Amino acid sequence: MRSIVVLENLDRVRWKKARHAYGSAGDVPGLLRGLASEDPSVRHDALWQLQGNIFHQGNRWEAAALAVPFLFELVLDPATGDREELVYFLVSLAFGYESDVLPFSVTPAEDPQRWAEQERAADDGRGERIG
């Protein structure tokens, strides 16, 4: 069972006055609580909705900044399921979509050959990284 301490300050935020892609961010506390659920489908749905609301089409809304401390709390709590998904979401909030910052708009998993070529190109011929 999860400790209540993780999201204890959640209700101190004026979520209804904050905005996200669809208007008032009054739904964000419930979605953050959903991320703490023991049910994987509840966590998945909560993250899906949260991504669409506070990081809609790559745009960060006011509610995103308010949610970040709670996302960190959840990531740091070992009782949180799917923490790696939350870390990925936090990175997306900080830097944008991976296709915006990674070369070739693909990840290493999607095109390992192309990434291997880039790794070779980034060394000095002796297998040592340049830079």
Side-chain angles (χ1 to χ4, degrees), residues 48-124:
W48 178 260
Q49 289 181 50
L50 199 58
Q51 289 170 329
N53 290 352
I54 69 173
F55 186 58
H56 185 74
Q57 297 180 350
N59 294 311
R60 295 156 194 90
W61 294 79
E62 176 188 13
L66 298 172
V68 165
F70 301 105
L71 290 168
F72 270 106
E73 284 182 16
L74 289 164
V75 166
L76 294 173
D77 183 359
T80 300
D82 304 319
R83 291 189 297 167
E84 66 280 355
E85 296 294 328
L86 299 182
V87 169
Y88 183 82
F89 183 42
L90 282 164
V91 170
S92 295
L93 284 171
F95 297 106
Y97 291 126
E98 62 190 20
S99 60
D100 294 339
V101 295
L102 295 175
F104 317 116
S105 299
V106 297
T107 66
E110 292 169 331
D111 193 348
Q113 180 63 33
R114 183 174 256 174
W115 277 78
E117 293 168 6
Q118 290 302 305
E119 286 293 315
R120 286 192 299 278
D123 71 38
D124 66 0

